[in-house]
Amino acid sequence: MKPQCFYDVVIEVAIIRPGPIQGDMVHPYLARRAGREPLTYFDPRLEPVLERTLGVPLFQEQMLKIAMIMADFSGNEAEELRRALSFHRSEERMQKVSVKLRMAMERKGVAPDKIDKIIHSITSFALYGFPESHAISFAILAYGSAYLKVHRAPEFYASLLNNQPMGFYTPATIVKDAQRHRLKIKPVCVLQSNWRCAVVDDNTVRLGFCVVNGLRQEHAEELARQREDRQFESLDDFKRRVSLSKDELRTLAELGALNCFAEHRRAAMWEVQEETHDDLLGSAGCQPAVSGSLPQTSTKPWRENVRSVRQDAGCNRLAACAPQKLDSPLAPMTLPERVRADYETMNLTTGPHPMKLLRGSLPNIWRASDLPQARHGTTVRIAGNVICRQRPGTAKGFVFISLEDETGVSNAIVDLDLFERFRLAITEEAFLLIEGEVQNSDSVVLIKAREIRALAHEQLIGSESHDFH
């Protein structure tokens, strides 16, 4: 809609709902607002009621006034209609009110075609509509959120990430949207992160431990307390002072949160598997031996003997039973492996979107950001990580699929027959390639799908999908 004023936001909130869609209100309103269709009313007497919504009834208050003007409903009868339109909706009650409304309009001599349009609008609205006051309240939230996203982006995105699960989009999509808006998202780090994601500066957010799968909040908070008392000097120091399970340590190493202590993720993963010892020889209880055993008859204290042996033999020739740090034999993760590890441990990545890694093998596939330039009616192919599958009850069996790539989100519409034909791929595959016809209206683009198939993604994984809600 491209709102020009606050009331446009109110309309935008109200209109994309099942009630207005079922009542054939959406397209007339948009066409009238764009100047493609003349402004008309069911009846001239309704102009004061419907003028602000361009002749299209969108709110509960308008429905009541229509009934009072066109059917001479009394205050009590209007209240009965309000209850039928209220939260505790009853189709049976709505049907009784509709019969009464029709009879009253017939008695007043309202034309049958006008009666049918009014009844259709009100009954379609009944199960899903809400009052104008609710739309205004929602619009205030929408406007406030948009303002924060533009003017206080770090706080906006950090707040979304700190309050998961919520809303429509997953943390992975939120992070990628932030990066596309030139916000820096720093990864989880045991020397920097707290439980919650935090604003670093006017252009940066640091991910918190709350995004890490399987890490208990009390453990993360203890980690932060220990770090506040005294900074960690090494991975051994970290392991001694913070009581984490083996699984939690492995997860932190795998996602790169321990890279501050190691050359790379796999080196950290190797090191977290080693036992931590509090002294030179650990708790093995064996005597040191370098080039033979220490003399059992020695009268020197044990630790003095050890020092003597180290001086004589060199630090690299300590007893075999003494704990020693071994360099990791593991190669660093490749970039695709790091991205996969991110999704496995956090369900998101601060690295490249998986589609960016696949882009070189996808010739002639349109990116989401390029679709507004696609000509209406042309055939294109799109591909991406499936982040949403919707099948609204009011959509006559149509399924809407949202695909995310490295540039944004593209949307495809699938009719009932095509859905049944490609049901397995649509419902099970994490990445899809869709070919279809461009539906481009005022740079709002949908792809009307014709062919759908799984996209080979080289063992990469992506965001979870929000499905059929």
Side-chain angles (χ1 to χ4, degrees):
M1 274 184 56
K2 298 179 182 178
Q4 300 297 312
C5 63
F6 177 72
Y7 197 73
D8 283 350
V9 181
V10 176
I11 297 293
E12 197 169 39
V13 165
I15 203 167
I16 306 302
R17 290 177 56 78
I21 291 171
Q22 280 191 325
D24 297 326
M25 304 170 192
V26 176
H27 294 301
Y29 181 87
L30 296 177
R32 293 174 188 188
R33 188 173 183 274
R36 295 192 298 266
E37 182 178 300
L39 177 57
T40 60
Y41 301 96
F42 296 139
D43 187 279
R45 289 170 288 181
L46 297 179
E47 182 173 348
V49 178
L50 300 177
E51 183 178 17
R52 68 184 184 278
T53 55
L54 306 184
V56 178
L58 295 177
F59 302 115
Q60 189 180 96
E61 295 90 338
Q62 291 175 306
M63 300 299 178
L64 304 185
K65 290 180 180 178
I66 288 173
M68 296 176 79
I69 292 171
M70 300 302 296
D72 286 336
F73 263 34
S74 65
N76 288 337
E77 289 172 320
E79 174 63 14
E80 184 182 359
L81 176 58
R82 187 197 66 76
R83 289 177 178 175
L85 297 172
S86 71
F87 180 76
H88 302 287
R89 295 173 175 105
S90 166
E91 292 190 49
E92 182 180 355
R93 175 181 285 183
M94 191 63 231
Q95 182 63 31
K96 290 179 179 179
V97 174
S98 297
V99 171
K100 183 183 292 187
L101 186 63
R102 180 180 292 276
M103 292 175 61
M105 285 191 286
E106 287 174 348
R107 285 196 300 269
K108 285 196 68 175
V110 178
D113 61 325
K114 291 182 181 180
I115 293 175
D116 290 340
K117 289 179 180 179
I118 291 171
I119 294 294
H120 177 62
S121 294
I122 292 178
T123 54
S124 297
F125 182 94
L127 294 178
Y128 301 100
F130 54 64
E132 185 178 30
S133 58
H134 290 195
I136 292 171
S137 297
F138 200 137
I140 291 172
L141 295 175
Y143 179 81
S145 299
Y147 181 91
L148 285 173
K149 185 174 181 179
V150 172
H151 298 285
R152 304 297 303 181
E155 289 84 354
F156 173 77
Y157 286 105
S159 297
L160 290 181
L161 292 169
N162 285 333
N163 287 279
Q164 295 296 319
M166 63 174 288
F168 197 78
Y169 296 110
T170 64
T173 297
I174 292 169
V175 166
K176 289 304 162 199
D177 185 71
Q179 291 175 326
R180 286 192 291 270
H181 286 85
R182 300 184 179 180
L183 200 67
K184 294 177 183 177
I185 306 294
K186 292 196 170 186
V188 177
C189 174
V190 296
L191 295 184
Q192 302 291 334
S193 295
N194 292 303
W195 174 250
R196 291 183 175 275
C197 302
V199 175
V200 176
D201 57 38
D202 288 343
N203 195 43
T204 309
V205 170
R206 169 76 67 178
L207 290 181
F209 295 115
C210 62
V211 304
V212 179
N213 297 335
L215 179 62
R216 294 171 62 177
Q217 182 174 351
E218 57 267 33
H219 289 176
E221 290 173 346
E222 174 61 21
L223 185 162
R225 282 192 294 271
Q226 289 285 343
R227 189 182 65 210
E228 188 175 339
D229 291 342
R230 178 168 55 88
Q231 189 59 275
F232 301 114
E233 297 175 358
S234 65
L235 185 48
D236 276 347
D237 182 40
F238 173 81
K239 290 162 63 179
R240 277 193 295 267
R241 291 165 53 196
V242 182
S243 298
L244 298 179
S245 70
K246 281 287 188 182
D247 285 343
E248 288 173 321
L249 278 170
R250 280 193 293 267
T251 296
L252 289 174
E254 186 177 0
L255 63 87
L258 299 178
N259 280 7
C260 48
F261 302 128
E263 292 183 21
H264 53 80
R265 297 190 193 195
R266 285 202 176 112
M269 293 170 70
W270 175 269
E271 194 168 342
V272 298
Q273 295 299 115
E274 296 181 347
E275 294 297 329
T276 301
H277 301 283
D278 291 327
D279 53 44
L280 179 64
L281 300 179
S283 56
C286 58
Q287 294 291 330
V290 180
S291 298
S293 299
L294 284 174
Q296 297 299 310
T297 58
S298 172
T299 59
K300 294 180 183 179
W302 176 77
R303 290 191 182 278
E304 190 174 333
N305 277 326
V306 172
R307 284 195 296 271
S308 176
V309 170
R310 292 186 64 176
Q311 290 170 356
D312 293 341
C315 296
N316 61 333
R317 300 175 62 198
L318 284 174
C321 62
Q324 299 180 26
K325 288 292 180 186
L326 301 177
D327 290 338
S328 166
L330 305 176
M333 290 184 182
T334 64
L335 180 57
E337 286 173 335
R338 293 199 300 273
V339 170
R340 181 183 179 90
D342 286 347
Y343 279 104
E344 288 178 336
T345 55
M346 299 180 289
N347 303 120
L348 59 83
T349 184
T350 57
H353 192 282
M355 284 301 298
K356 187 171 185 178
L357 302 179
L358 297 173
R359 182 62 59 185
S361 62
L362 298 174
N364 304 317
I365 302 296
W366 283 66
R367 301 185 308 169
S369 61
D370 298 329
L371 285 175
Q373 283 72 56
R375 294 197 314 274
H376 181 81
T378 57
T379 298
V380 300
R381 294 195 297 168
I382 59 174
N385 176 203
V386 182
I387 62 169
C388 183
R389 303 172 179 90
Q390 293 185 85
R391 196 174 194 177
T394 56
K396 301 177 181 178
F398 283 91
V399 173
F400 299 90
I401 301 174
S402 296
L403 303 181
E404 184 183 54
D405 65 18
E406 71 274 30
T407 70
V409 178
S410 55
N411 295 290
I413 183 171
V414 182
D415 65 34
L416 181 59
D417 291 340
L418 196 68
F419 176 78
E420 293 302 330
R421 180 180 164 196
F422 295 107
R423 174 188 286 270
L424 189 60
I426 291 171
T427 57
E428 298 295 330
E429 294 293 335
F431 291 79
L432 290 176
L433 191 154
I434 299 177
E435 180 178 302
E437 180 183 327
V438 175
Q439 306 287 305
N440 192 334
S441 176
D442 297 325
S443 295
V444 176
V445 181
L446 275 176
I447 305 303
K448 187 177 181 182
R450 293 174 179 167
E451 293 287 332
I452 301 173
R453 67 173 183 265
L455 176 67
H457 47 92
E458 301 176 3
Q459 297 187 330
L460 286 168
I461 59 178
S463 172
E464 296 176 345
S465 179
H466 183 103
D467 290 342
F468 302 111
H469 294 160

